[in-house]
Amino acid sequence: EAGVVQSPRYKIIEKKQPVAFWCNPISGHNTLYWYRQNLGQGPELLIRYENEEAVDDSQLPKDRFSAERLKGVDSTLKIQPAELGDSAVYLCASSMERTEAFFGQGTRLTVV
Amino acid sequence: GNSVTQMEGPVTLSEEAFLTINCTYTATGYPSLFWYVQYPGEGLQLLLKATKADDKGSNKGFEATYRKETTSFHLEKGSVQVSDSAVYFCALSDNSGNTPLVFGKGTRLSVIA
């Protein structure tokens, strides 16, 4: 069974540029999460989707971050414009209703 | 709000040593508790979980008991192996489901032969 797939694995951009991350969850998983993991820290939830609806986006910095999950499957997380402090690993996870979450390998973003 | 505090690393042990990684939590209601592991170059994997007080989660020789009276969920293993070298995260969910929402900072474990 394929796991959660994220791309790209690594991304280096200059500050003020836009960047987008893509996540393909496990087939059949209706819940999708985006986390941000800063160096030496645990993951922090940015947004959670139930199907195509964002049910918890309280930690998403909405001035520069946006996310979408069209058709309740794949999801894209965007940052525009990126700042130096956005350098982190962005993790995507998925689960079926109220069950274990499975994580992708993450996208490591470096803003220079 | 909910929070998780786990012992800071890195922790370095010799093979076959006993491992304890402390984790305490602050939460309202009755959260579920988790230990996740991140091996080098890999994504986070669920190691074990407990959903109510006095439950013991176990997997791959690791154990943790949900202690409501001390708000703790310490991870233990009787005899570590080199292959256990990884970063371990304690986490909790709110009482609406099983999905981790709040993580500790992680503890890096290195096991040497």
Side-chain angles (χ1 to χ4, degrees):
Chain A
E1 177 182 332
V4 177
V5 179
Q6 292 186 245
S7 69
R9 288 291 312 279
Y10 305 92
K11 188 73 175 179
I12 301 174
I13 62 170
E14 294 184 343
K15 62 182 180 182
K16 300 185 182 179
Q17 294 302 305
V19 64
F21 315 124
W22 175 80
C23 174
N24 180 233
I26 292 173
S27 178
H29 282 193
N30 64 315
T31 306
L32 185 145
Y33 315 79
W34 283 102
Y35 288 84
R36 176 171 58 190
Q37 186 176 13
N38 293 311
L39 186 64
Q41 304 293 315
E44 297 176 321
L45 182 70
L46 291 174
I47 188 168
R48 175 165 62 105
Y49 282 93
E50 297 287 349
N51 299 304
E52 64 272 13
E53 181 182 0
V55 297
D56 184 355
D57 64 355
S58 57
Q59 301 302 313
L60 189 72
K62 299 182 181 63
D63 56 336
R64 298 183 299 107
F65 285 66
S66 65
E68 61 182 10
R69 190 183 185 197
L70 299 177
K71 301 181 181 179
V73 182
D74 294 2
S75 178
T76 303
L77 178 68
K78 298 178 181 178
I79 308 174
Q80 182 171 11
E83 296 179 353
L84 295 176
D86 296 331
S87 295
V89 176
Y90 291 83
L91 297 168
C92 180
S94 71
S95 70
M96 296 184 71
E97 292 184 12
R98 303 188 178 189
T99 60
E100 171 190 350
F102 293 82
F103 284 81
Q105 290 188 295
T107 296
R108 181 178 298 277
L109 173 67
T110 302
V111 183
V112 297
Chain B
N2 296 343
S3 66
V4 173
T5 302
Q6 61 182 104
M7 65 185 286
E8 294 191 16
V11 175
T12 302
L13 296 174
S14 297
E15 207 165 23
E16 299 184 2
F18 184 85
L19 168 71
T20 299
I21 300 178
N22 290 337
C23 171
T24 57
Y25 68 90
T26 302
T28 55
Y30 302 95
S32 294
L33 301 173
F34 308 82
W35 278 101
Y36 273 76
V37 59
Q38 191 168 33
Y39 298 105
E42 298 185 15
L44 281 166
Q45 302 173 26
L46 179 67
L47 181 60
L48 54 84
K49 68 179 182 182
T51 57
K52 61 183 186 296
D54 299 325
D55 267 3
K56 178 185 285 188
S58 61
N59 186 25
K60 299 181 181 180
F62 290 89
E63 294 183 339
T65 301
Y66 190 143
R67 300 288 189 197
K68 192 172 188 301
E69 64 276 14
T70 54
T71 61
S72 65
F73 193 55
H74 304 322
L75 182 67
E76 297 182 336
K77 186 174 186 181
S79 176
V80 294
Q81 305 300 312
V82 172
S83 58
D84 294 326
S85 297
V87 182
Y88 293 82
F89 293 92
C90 185
L92 68 81
S93 75
D94 62 22
N95 54 9
S96 67
N98 285 322
T99 303
L101 295 179
V102 179
F103 284 81
K105 293 184 177 182
T107 302
R108 181 176 298 277
L109 170 66
S110 296
V111 181
I112 55 177

